[in-house]
Amino acid sequence: KQWYQRRVVITAGVIRINLDHLKNPKEAVRIVQETQSVEGARVVAKFFQNLGDYASAIQFLVVSKCNAEAFTLAEEHNQMAQYADIIGDDATPEDYTAIAKHYESQGKPLQCGNFFFKAGDYAKALHYLIRVPPNDVDAALDIAIEAVGKAHKDSLTHQLIDYLMGEIDGVPKAARYLFNLYMSLKQYREAARTAIIIAKEDQASGSYRTAHDVLFEMYQNLLKHKIKIPNEMVHNLMLLHSYILVKLHVKKGDHMKAARMLIRVASNISKFPSHIAQILTSTVVECYRSGLRASAFSYAAMLLRPEYRSQIDPKWKKKIEQIVRKPDKTEEEEPTDPCPQCGTLLPQTTLECGECKNTLPYCIITGRHMLKEDWCECPHCSWPALYSVFVEYVADGGTACPICSVVVNPQELSLVAEPNLYSKLGEAAAEG
């Protein structure tokens, strides 16, 4: 013990010499950081305080375990944010409560709520987090949801739901927060139902990319927690992704793939109420270009119904009328590939096997059902794609995964020898 005390005194002495006589604060700071000397840190803190460098003084006061003194200095010199950053996540509830009360006196509800949350006072945290100005709502809600999830108190849950529904301030919040709240509370069925409602609203308004991305994010969140994906969610994401793929295929000049995806979407046209005429028109055009004349005729005839006729783009109206007046119903059958489950030959874009009765996983680039022997996965989101197609897609300049939008390097792609056929259909997930 005597040896240790002597070493502390010597270290503090060396630090004082560097500060007072050698005028070398950098060396003094280095010694403190290397030795973690509490006494030395106190000496360095005093040095910086005398210089008026309060941020550095606070840092070394915290190192020297003088949190109360550091807090007082931070309060006196408007350095509370720096003090909070320095103490990080290792402080005591009392430290966090002191910071929260400081921000309370400053009229800063976001910071106040955040530090009451860190202190474990979830009721006070929520009280302030639902009273933030509009610019801070997103940040506040992320903290509030986590606080309510940890609190496990019905009164706080109901208070936050009232806020999300707009009953407190008259402003309903984005529905994704309700989803996040249910996930935090482990109420997975409610979370899944909420996700479907959110995506439906975006889809009905014609915000297909937004609906796709929101649904995908929530889908991944459910999978992460091993929650069974509702069939409706599986189906809706598949349709939205098929629609997103149309643009990709048209851009590459692959009108057959675009036509096949549009046929899938047009077969479920009621799910796209804002753009029925436009989608049917695109389906007719791409089918005709690809030689799928029977399909072109079928959707052209649908377009000429009274409820859609007036919405046809004048650029295509004559062509569509001509397709219906002079029908050409020739159409080659779609090529087939084996079902990845039972091996039965099926049309490439069929996602239901009549033989084994399974819903089939689809390639995120082509929209076709997957092949067991040509299977790879996005290295970032793990969704499946045909290996040969993904390699070609990346080689042709397709840098981002079509479903998660993260950049993929060719070196990251490899064949999967024993794929989990249903990992992205939620079939293997446990019931929540």
Side-chain angles (χ1 to χ4, degrees):
K1 187 175 179 181
Q2 286 181 342
W3 173 84
Y4 174 77
Q5 288 173 336
R6 195 181 308 126
R7 183 182 173 188
V8 168
V9 171
I10 291 170
T11 301
V14 171
I15 289 168
R16 281 197 179 91
I17 290 168
N18 274 282
L19 292 173
D20 298 338
H21 301 290
L22 300 179
K23 309 299 182 189
N24 190 357
K26 281 186 180 179
E27 179 61 15
V29 168
R30 187 196 67 75
I31 294 170
V32 170
Q33 289 172 338
E34 186 177 288
T35 63
Q36 292 295 298
S37 166
V38 171
E39 182 59 36
R42 194 176 288 121
V43 171
V44 171
K46 191 68 177 173
F47 172 81
F48 282 119
Q49 191 173 346
N50 290 336
L51 284 181
D53 184 351
Y54 299 113
S56 296
I58 289 164
Q59 179 183 347
F60 286 98
L61 282 170
V62 171
V63 171
S64 65
K65 306 189 186 311
C66 298
N67 282 21
E69 195 177 333
F71 174 82
T72 300
L73 195 63
E75 201 165 34
E76 288 175 354
H77 298 282
N78 196 28
Q79 299 284 321
M80 195 57 68
Q82 288 83 341
Y83 170 67
D85 284 343
I86 290 163
I87 65 170
D89 295 324
D90 300 323
T92 66
E94 291 75 21
D95 287 331
Y96 292 132
T97 299
I99 298 172
K101 287 180 177 177
H102 166 81
Y103 283 123
E104 183 180 32
S105 69
Q106 298 282 309
K108 295 182 176 179
L110 175 62
Q111 293 86 340
C112 176
N114 181 35
F115 284 99
F116 273 129
F117 165 70
K118 288 189 172 191
D121 192 337
Y122 302 127
K124 277 192 177 178
L126 184 61
H127 174 82
Y128 287 101
L129 291 168
I130 62 176
R131 287 167 171 78
V132 298
N135 288 347
D136 290 335
V137 166
D138 288 349
L141 279 175
D142 288 339
I143 302 166
I145 287 167
E146 192 175 350
V148 169
K150 289 187 173 184
H152 299 295
K153 286 188 177 179
D154 288 346
S155 59
L156 297 186
T157 300
H158 294 148
Q159 192 178 350
L160 182 53
I161 289 174
D162 286 346
Y163 178 67
L164 292 175
M165 303 303 285
E167 292 179 18
I168 292 178
D169 60 359
V171 182
K173 309 305 177 291
R176 72 178 182 276
Y177 290 116
L178 193 57
F179 172 85
N180 291 341
L181 175 60
Y182 285 136
M183 290 297 294
S184 180
L185 294 169
K186 296 182 170 53
Q187 295 178 10
Y188 298 122
R189 287 187 180 86
E190 288 80 358
R193 280 196 287 268
T194 303
I196 292 169
I197 291 167
I198 294 167
K200 274 184 176 176
E201 288 175 357
D202 284 328
Q203 196 167 339
S205 68
S207 303
Y208 306 123
R209 184 80 232 188
T210 301
H212 175 279
D213 292 348
V214 166
L215 199 58
F216 175 73
E217 180 186 351
M218 295 177 181
Y219 199 112
Q220 291 290 83
N221 213 333
L222 290 171
L223 285 175
K224 179 182 173 184
H225 289 84
K226 296 184 170 29
I227 310 306
K228 189 180 188 304
I229 309 296
N231 291 335
E232 188 177 4
M233 188 185 285
V234 174
H235 185 67
N236 286 352
L237 181 58
M238 178 274 293
L239 284 178
L240 285 163
H241 192 64
S242 299
Y243 184 76
I244 298 295
L245 288 179
V246 172
K247 188 175 181 181
L248 185 152
H249 296 320
V250 170
K251 188 177 178 181
K252 289 187 172 294
D254 194 332
H255 297 288
M256 179 60 79
K257 284 195 182 79
R260 294 293 182 195
M261 291 301 98
L262 280 164
I263 289 171
R264 180 183 288 166
V265 170
S267 299
N268 295 270
I269 198 64
S270 63
K271 303 275 189 183
F272 300 83
S274 294
H275 296 89
I276 290 177
Q278 293 96 317
I279 290 172
L280 291 177
T281 300
S282 296
T283 306
V284 172
V285 171
E286 292 301 319
C287 285
Y288 197 84
R289 281 175 174 165
S290 308
L292 303 178
R293 301 300 168 84
S295 296
F297 169 78
S298 174
Y299 291 109
M302 190 184 296
L303 258 177
L304 291 179
R305 291 176 187 170
E307 62 266 36
Y308 306 133
R309 189 172 192 133
S310 62
Q311 301 172 45
I312 300 174
D313 186 335
K315 176 183 173 184
W316 299 107
K317 194 167 187 179
K318 276 191 177 181
K319 181 66 178 176
I320 288 166
E321 289 172 345
Q322 184 182 0
I323 289 171
V324 174
R325 273 200 310 269
K326 299 178 180 178
D328 176 358
K329 298 186 181 180
T330 59
E331 185 165 316
E332 288 185 19
E333 288 190 6
E334 184 178 359
T336 59
D337 279 324
C339 165
Q341 180 66 36
C342 69
T344 301
L345 288 176
L346 303 167
Q348 290 176 331
T349 56
T350 294
L351 300 181
E352 301 284 340
C353 179
E355 187 65 31
C356 65
K357 309 301 181 188
N358 280 306
T359 299
L360 307 182
Y362 53 90
C363 169
I364 55 175
I365 298 173
T366 63
R368 296 171 177 171
H369 67 252
M370 287 296 293
L371 300 175
K372 218 172 175 182
E373 68 278 4
D374 193 24
W375 192 295
C376 77
E377 294 174 353
C378 169
H380 304 286
C381 66
S382 301
W383 278 66
L386 297 168
Y387 174 73
S388 56
V389 172
F390 212 158
V391 169
E392 183 183 346
Y393 168 76
V394 173
D396 287 347
T399 57
C401 167
I403 199 162
C404 73
S405 302
V406 178
V407 172
V408 177
N409 295 317
Q411 308 91 288
E412 296 178 295
L413 299 175
S414 60
L415 281 166
V416 177
E418 294 293 333
N420 182 344
L421 301 185
Y422 300 103
S423 64
K424 295 300 177 235
L425 296 176
E427 298 293 328
E431 185 72 55

